[in-house]
Amino acid sequence: GEDVEQSLFLSVREGDSSVINCTYTDSSSTYLYWYKQEPGAGLQLLTYIFSNMDMKQDQRLTVLLNKKDKHLSLRIADTQTGDSAIYFCAESMGSGYALNFGKGTSLLVTP
Amino acid sequence: DSGVTQTPKHLITATGQRVTLRCSPRSGDLSVYWYQQSLDQGLQFLIQYYNGEERAKGNILERFSAQQFPDLHSELNLSSLELGDSALYFCASRDRDFYGYTFGSGTRLTVV
């Protein structure tokens, strides 16, 4: 599929907010996802957003979607050391289609 | 436990060999997706099955094949293995009424 781009690294201090950015190029993407991968573990679904929405909030997580710029962001409020992981942005053309992933952003939270 | 079961967790084998990776989707999920995760290529979609039938193909090599059985478990067969096939292989399943995809914990394949 088209490329999904993410910055590779982000380092924040505990208690600060983290913002992880993603750009996608396939304008036909219908659903956009954020997954978290901890060392040695599988992928955990954090949240998803439909392309007809521009924001979704779920506890400490806020997803913003700018469809015009094909830009997706994940904000983690009050970041904790347990949030250190790799975060993947993914797009899907529709229900049942396979996910197209970015290369992941490695988030390091320091005390 | 995500409900998607993958076995084995680790596999070490020699070049030229053939291995089979197994995935059991969450109870009731009809779709299975296979992905390969490597350092250089990231997460690449390989193949999708739905209720026993192949639904979509991604970047799957001809040396690789898969199938989904009547009980909905799936197997990914990798043959004539090369060093570059060393990777984490994930499967995922999807609930028809839910838009998220649930991943297993993966099989780490090392080809020596």
Side-chain angles (χ1 to χ4, degrees), chain A residues 1 31 33 35 37 40-45 48 50 86 88 92 94-103, chain B residues 31 33 35 37 39-45 48 88 90 94 96 98-106 108:
Chain A
Y31 309 112
Y33 299 82
Y35 278 84
Q37 186 179 30
L43 291 136
Q44 174 194 352
L45 175 65
Y48 61 91
F50 299 119
I86 302 176
F88 291 92
S92 169
S95 176
Y97 283 81
L99 295 174
N100 183 29
F101 285 91
K103 292 240 184 328
Chain B
S31 289
Y33 304 77
Y35 290 84
Q37 184 179 33
L39 278 174
D40 54 344
Q41 295 292 323
L43 273 156
Q44 297 280 315
F45 166 63
Q48 175 197 356
L88 257 174
F90 287 107
R94 182 184 167 273
R96 76 180 87 183
F98 174 59
Y99 299 99
Y101 300 71
T102 303
F103 282 76
S105 55
R108 180 170 293 281

Side-chain angles (χ1 to χ4, degrees), chain B residues 31-82:
Chain B
S31 289
V32 169
Y33 304 77
W34 285 98
Y35 290 84
Q36 179 194 59
Q37 184 179 33
S38 61
L39 278 174
D40 54 344
Q41 295 292 323
L43 273 156
Q44 297 280 315
F45 166 63
L46 296 178
I47 197 164
Q48 175 197 356
Y49 279 83
Y50 179 84
N51 202 21
E53 292 191 4
E54 181 185 303
R55 185 60 69 92
K57 263 187 178 177
N59 300 320
I60 189 165
L61 299 172
E62 284 195 14
R63 300 184 283 109
F64 296 0
S65 65
Q67 53 185 326
Q68 186 179 27
F69 295 86
D71 67 351
L72 300 176
H73 91 271
S74 177
E75 292 180 357
L76 179 67
N77 300 296
L78 316 176
S79 61
S80 303
L81 284 166
E82 302 175 359

Side-chain angles (χ1 to χ4, degrees), chain A residues 45-92:
Chain A
L45 175 65
L46 288 178
T47 188
Y48 61 91
I49 188 167
F50 299 119
S51 60
N52 61 357
M53 298 168 65
D54 50 22
M55 187 182 95
K56 182 178 181 182
Q57 189 152 3
D58 185 359
Q59 299 183 330
R60 291 191 298 123
L61 306 179
T62 302
V63 178
L64 295 177
L65 174 61
N66 181 326
K67 199 173 177 188
K68 174 176 163 289
D69 294 337
K70 298 189 186 74
H71 183 265
L72 183 73
S73 67
L74 174 70
R75 179 177 178 269
I76 306 173
D78 187 26
T79 315
Q80 303 297 308
T81 54
D83 294 324
S84 292
I86 302 176
Y87 291 79
F88 291 92
C89 167
E91 60 179 356
S92 169

